[in-house]
Amino acid sequence: MARVRSAGDRPGRGVLGRQSRGRLVVFGGLGLVLLAAVVSTVAVVAGGGGSGRPPVPPTRARAYSEQDACLLTGSSGVAKGGEAARVWDGMREASRDTRARVAYTPVTGARTAANATPFLNGLFQRSCDVVVASGRAEVAAVREAAGGRPKTRFVLVGGTVNEEGAGGNTTVVAAGAGLGGRVASAVREALQEH
């Protein structure tokens, strides 16, 4: 009869039994997994993420101040070639220098001060620090409201300083050549005073 040999009796197998070898394999495997986790963690921390992608460039978004300059204009808005377009160019120039936000609101409907007033009130609700008015009806609406808003600065395009309604918070800018530059200066000054 042949003799049955156990795993420990085989030549070249050493003194470890089947159970001991199983434990060695399990613990050795866990050790390798643990070593891989440590190496990966160190690589991520030292290598900055290891994604292989280039870093995201800084944003090109403009950082604005907490000041708003708003243009009240006729129904054509800031269409190229009109007076309001030159006013808008001046406001954008002032915005580049001061970082103030600029916006415009066209008045639609009848070209009267009474019709422009609700649009002007919308600018007050938006907390515009400086209101620029371009257009006969828009300027008339602002002149009527300026006295009741001492903390708001107003820039009126056209007219004269001595006209009724122009107070200490109102600047009048003459229309004509160089209008954009004069508006930019008036808006910058109004923002500094605010």
Side-chain angles (χ1 to χ4, degrees):
M1 204 175 196
R3 182 172 168 221
V4 178
R5 296 171 121 181
S6 69
D9 292 357
R10 288 190 198 163
R13 296 286 184 180
V15 293
L16 289 177
R18 176 172 271 160
Q19 195 174 21
S20 297
R21 278 194 302 259
R23 286 184 186 144
L24 181 63
V25 170
V26 169
F27 288 125
L30 287 175
L32 287 175
V33 169
L34 181 61
L35 178 64
V38 169
V39 169
S40 296
T41 302
V42 169
V44 167
V45 170
S51 68
R53 292 184 290 174
V56 177
T59 181
R60 294 183 66 188
R62 218 167 147 198
Y64 286 99
S65 69
E66 290 300 315
Q67 293 182 304
D68 294 288
C70 305
L71 172 61
L72 185 65
T73 186
S75 61
S76 61
V78 293
K80 200 167 196 141
E83 179 181 86
R86 294 190 310 270
V87 172
W88 180 243
D89 288 342
M91 290 180 67
R92 289 186 3 197
E93 179 184 330
S95 174
R96 282 190 296 274
D97 297 341
T98 63
R99 299 288 186 208
R101 293 179 295 256
V102 292
Y104 70 91
T105 299
V107 175
T108 57
R111 304 230 348 113
T112 64
N115 184 53
T117 299
F119 293 91
L120 177 60
N121 289 337
L123 298 182
F124 295 146
Q125 289 174 350
R126 287 175 41 194
S127 301
C128 294
D129 302 299
V130 176
V131 174
V132 181
S134 173
R136 186 178 307 259
E138 294 75 21
V139 168
V142 168
R143 283 189 183 281
E144 290 174 16
R149 300 265 179 189
K151 292 185 179 182
T152 304
R153 300 288 176 240
F154 298 94
V155 177
L156 308 177
V157 177
T160 62
V161 176
N162 295 331
E163 288 182 41
E164 185 179 331
N169 60 343
T170 305
T171 302
V172 177
V173 175
L179 176 60
R182 288 191 301 277
V183 168
S185 295
V187 170
R188 272 190 224 102
E189 185 178 317
L191 287 167
Q192 289 172 355
E193 290 175 2
H194 193 266

